Amino acid sequence: MESKAVARKKQEVAQLMEKLKKAVSFYIVDYTGLNANAMNTLRGKFRSGNFDYFVIKNTILKRAGENMELKRIEDVLIGPNAISISYEDPVGPAKIIHEFYTQNEHPIVKLCYIEGRWFSPEEVNQIAILPSREILISRVVNLL
């Protein structure tokens, strides 16, 4: 018979796996250095963009990654971590993180997964500064 704590952790892993299965992207970030007010502001930005953002225990993230064969997650599970999950706009969280980082020097992206591909922190910064899809489409239409 398993304890309540073990059952709760299994439930947390299952919930995270369900979210990751629905996601088009997720970002693992180190939020060290953010005070409570800054963290609440950041959460609000994610919420207004319709993204999930929450602090997560490394063991929960590790188990979910193992179960979903996302082995690369284990490489970044040092120190405190938060995760941002997007279900529609794969680069929206990158833009929020980049904007917030330019003002506060935190959070720092550790790893990103967009539609089946892993991205390094440097690549995420490049993605974040790209114009939105709508702007790119309008530029192409203007060229025609």
Side-chain angles (χ1 to χ4, degrees):
M1 202 167 132
E2 65 186 34
S3 70
K4 288 182 182 181
V6 171
R8 189 183 81 249
K9 287 180 183 178
K10 284 183 179 181
Q11 181 182 8
E12 288 177 25
V13 169
Q15 288 172 344
L16 179 59
M17 287 174 52
E18 194 61 38
K19 288 181 179 194
L20 295 178
K21 285 177 187 174
K22 294 177 188 175
V24 293
S25 68
F26 65 87
Y27 297 76
I28 300 172
V29 298
D30 179 355
Y31 61 90
T32 304
L34 289 178
N35 62 31
N37 289 336
M39 189 66 134
N40 287 334
T41 302
L42 183 59
R43 280 190 183 112
K45 288 182 181 285
F46 280 113
R47 210 173 301 121
S48 68
N50 214 17
F51 307 113
D52 282 346
Y53 178 79
F54 50 92
V55 173
I56 187 152
K57 292 181 181 178
N58 289 342
T59 54
I60 302 299
L61 194 51
K62 179 181 177 185
R63 297 228 191 278
E66 288 172 349
N67 292 343
M68 296 181 69
E69 297 184 12
L70 300 171
K71 304 285 186 201
R72 195 147 171 215
I73 290 175
E74 288 183 44
D75 299 340
V76 297
L77 297 181
I78 298 169
N81 289 299
I83 188 167
S84 175
I85 303 173
S86 175
Y87 303 103
E88 295 173 11
D89 177 9
V91 297
K95 292 187 179 294
I96 292 171
I97 292 166
H98 181 74
E99 176 190 331
F100 205 81
Y101 179 83
T102 57
Q103 298 167 358
N104 300 287
E105 297 184 11
H106 299 288
I108 299 169
V109 174
K110 289 183 169 183
L111 189 63
C112 170
Y113 186 79
I114 300 175
E115 296 178 346
R117 183 166 177 254
W118 294 102
F119 291 86
S120 69
E122 295 79 22
E123 292 171 315
V124 172
N125 285 334
Q126 292 173 351
I127 290 169
I129 60 175
L130 288 174
S132 70
R133 183 175 187 264
E134 293 78 20
I135 291 173
L136 290 174
I137 290 171
S138 69
R139 287 181 182 173
V140 170
V141 169
N142 279 339
L143 288 174
L144 297 175

